[in-house]
């Protein structure tokens, strides 16, 4: 029995396999966009993107992106994982805005209090508030509070 090879079929098969091959070292577009995630949540938390008309209830593991506004209800507490063992914790009745993610993280505290815990390999984190700023460049813990004393429980 002899096998007949069809050169056109072989060429077409090779082209099809090359067209569907994805290199493992090339990042997916969605994965390469800087983002964070809600890693812990107790009570109600709200998330509003820069193009959203209103805030929506947030859930555990929701993605947080640049430009998102995050707020907590009274008696709520939330934590956002920023990557590389770096977290921002948001007190009850507080609001923050995530201005920048990636190699340098910038977060504005709009109301209440936030606490940042930067891992030793984490990115530089800047917390901005009306009364002052904090820049965490190495392993650090920092808390900024611009709310009333009754609304900043961690």
């Amino acid at each position: 029995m002899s096998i007949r090879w069809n050169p056109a079929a072989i060429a077409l098969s090779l082209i099809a396999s090359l067209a569907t091959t994805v290199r493992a070292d090339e990042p997916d577009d969605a994965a390469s966009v800087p983002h964070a995630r809600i890693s812990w949540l107790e009570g109600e938390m709200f998330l509003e993107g820069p193009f959203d008309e209103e805030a929506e209830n947030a859930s555990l593991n929701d993605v947080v992106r640049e430009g998102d506004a995050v707020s907590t209800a009274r008696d709520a507490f939330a934590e956002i994982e920023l990557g590389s063992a770096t977290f921002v914790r948001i007190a009850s009745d507080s609001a923050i805005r995530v201005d920048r993610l990636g190699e340098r993280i910038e977060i504005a505290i709009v109301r209440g209090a936030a606490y940042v815990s930067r891992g030793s390999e984490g990115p530089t984190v800047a917390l901005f508030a009306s009364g002052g700023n904090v820049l965490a460049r190495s392993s650090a813990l920092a808390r900024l509070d611009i709310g009333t004393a009754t609304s900043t429980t961690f």
Side-chain angles (χ1 to χ4, degrees), residues 11 18 33 41 50 52 65 70 100 106 115 123 140 144 152:
L18 291 174
V33 174
L41 177 59
D52 293 341
R65 295 181 178 85
V70 179
R100 185 175 177 185
E106 296 178 1
Y115 170 100
L144 276 180
T152 57

Side-chain angles (χ1 to χ4, degrees), residues 21 32-33 58-60 64 95 97 100 102-103 106 152:
T21 301
S32 66
V33 174
S59 300
L60 191 64
V64 178
R97 186 183 63 246
R100 185 175 177 185
E103 291 181 23
E106 296 178 1
T152 57

Side-chain angles (χ1 to χ4, degrees), residues 107-124:
I107 296 174
I109 301 173
V110 178
R111 178 183 77 245
Y115 170 100
V116 68
S117 173
R118 182 188 180 276
S120 61
E121 301 296 320
T124 298

Side-chain angles (χ1 to χ4, degrees), residues 73-130:
R74 189 177 273 336
D75 298 324
F77 172 82
E79 177 182 82
I80 299 173
E81 181 180 1
L82 304 168
S84 300
T86 301
F87 300 86
V88 62
R89 294 171 181 97
I90 307 163
S92 66
D93 198 22
S94 297
I96 67 168
R97 186 183 63 246
V98 179
D99 291 332
R100 185 175 177 185
L101 293 169
E103 291 181 23
R104 177 183 162 106
I105 296 171
E106 296 178 1
I107 296 174
I109 301 173
V110 178
R111 178 183 77 245
Y115 170 100
V116 68
S117 173
R118 182 188 180 276
S120 61
E121 301 296 320
T124 298
V125 180
L127 290 179
F128 299 103
S130 59

